[in-house]
Amino acid sequence: MNWKKTARRSAVIVAILVLSIVCALICKVVWDKIDRQRYPRQYSEYVSEYSAAYGVPEYVVYAVIKVESDFASNAESHAGAIGLMQLMPDTFDWVSMRLKRNSEHGMLYDPRTNIEYGTYMLSYLYMRYNRWDTAFAAYNAGHSRVDQWLMDPQITDEDGNLVRIPFRETEKYVKKVNDAIEVYKRLYYQ
């Protein structure tokens, strides 16, 4: 009689374990599907093209677009930033000059142009600071402001890297971009 009880208990435990594994796999598939809807890869042809051209990982470009505009090409901020990657008209003019192109501010709404110029700017900032967090802070707050921060030993480490961001909005922005990067990496770049 004990043998039958033990066998039954073992069978129940195995069934529970198998059911738990199946449920975990189903949940992962469902959550990944939900996350893929929340973290899309729209405009992939432009992201791929300019990501390769300017040496910026695709997941970085997608994360910045997600955080900046949530893929709304007609987005406008209260500060005057425009388009998918939320470029300021002055930044657009500066990038246009660097790329030796005519600048017409209406082009900020064009997904291809906005992604190209935003990706160029990310590339420039990364080359300037050699750290993505600092590049993201400069993308949000401006590189002249970040340059000032980097001169403050109270917010930099011994190597001169920004370790504390004095603007709460920029600090939250950098965290949001990094969180989005992790989701994009997990969903599409493993």
Side-chain angles (χ1 to χ4, degrees), residues 110-166:
D110 173 56
R112 180 183 202 119
T113 303
N114 199 280
I115 290 170
E116 178 183 10
Y117 283 39
T119 305
Y120 177 90
M121 195 66 200
L122 286 169
S123 174
Y124 170 81
L125 293 170
Y126 182 75
M127 288 190 307
R128 183 177 181 138
Y129 299 113
N130 206 30
R131 291 188 67 190
W132 280 117
D133 283 356
T134 309
F136 300 148
Y139 194 90
N140 179 261
H143 58 83
S144 60
R145 184 169 286 141
V146 168
D147 288 344
Q148 290 174 349
W149 294 345
L150 290 171
M151 290 190 272
D152 184 345
Q154 293 183 346
I155 61 173
T156 58
D157 64 16
E158 59 278 351
D159 296 324
N161 296 313
L162 192 62
V163 292
R164 190 174 61 77
I165 299 171

Side-chain angles (χ1 to χ4, degrees), residues 6 12-15 54 57-58 71 76 80 103 107 116 120 126 136 155 171:
T6 303
V12 167
I13 290 171
V14 168
Y54 299 121
E58 288 184 15
F71 293 88
E76 292 184 32
S103 68
M107 294 169 66
E116 178 183 10
Y120 177 90
Y126 182 75
F136 300 148
I155 61 173
E171 180 182 44

Side-chain angles (χ1 to χ4, degrees), residues 36-189:
R36 285 176 192 267
Q37 289 175 344
R38 290 180 47 224
Y39 292 84
R41 289 189 301 173
Q42 293 174 328
Y43 309 105
S44 60
E45 64 277 15
Y46 306 140
V47 172
S48 293
E49 179 180 351
Y50 297 116
S51 193
Y54 299 121
V56 177
E58 288 184 15
Y59 54 81
V60 168
V61 178
Y62 284 120
V64 169
I65 294 171
K66 173 68 178 164
V67 171
E68 288 287 357
S69 69
D70 202 17
F71 293 88
S73 63
N74 62 345
E76 292 184 32
S77 76
H78 65 281
I82 297 171
L84 291 167
M85 297 187 78
Q86 290 292 279
L87 297 170
M88 294 296 287
D90 288 347
T91 301
F92 180 77
D93 292 340
W94 183 83
V95 173
S96 292
M97 181 191 68
R98 299 227 2 150
L99 295 175
K100 297 177 172 56
R101 306 234 181 102
N102 293 331
S103 68
E104 183 184 313
H105 290 170
M107 294 169 66
L108 279 163
Y109 295 98
D110 173 56
R112 180 183 202 119
T113 303
N114 199 280
I115 290 170
E116 178 183 10
Y117 283 39
T119 305
Y120 177 90
M121 195 66 200
L122 286 169
S123 174
Y124 170 81
L125 293 170
Y126 182 75
M127 288 190 307
R128 183 177 181 138
Y129 299 113
N130 206 30
R131 291 188 67 190
W132 280 117
D133 283 356
T134 309
F136 300 148
Y139 194 90
N140 179 261
H143 58 83
S144 60
R145 184 169 286 141
V146 168
D147 288 344
Q148 290 174 349
W149 294 345
L150 290 171
M151 290 190 272
D152 184 345
Q154 293 183 346
I155 61 173
T156 58
D157 64 16
E158 59 278 351
D159 296 324
N161 296 313
L162 192 62
V163 292
R164 190 174 61 77
I165 299 171
F167 284 10
R168 181 85 175 120
E169 176 190 331
T170 301
E171 180 182 44
K172 285 172 36 180
Y173 174 81
V174 171
K175 182 180 179 345
K176 284 180 186 178
V177 171
N178 281 315
D179 290 348
I181 284 172
E182 290 309 310
V183 174
Y184 275 102
K185 280 180 168 179
R186 178 177 54 83
L187 291 174
Y188 304 107
Y189 298 96

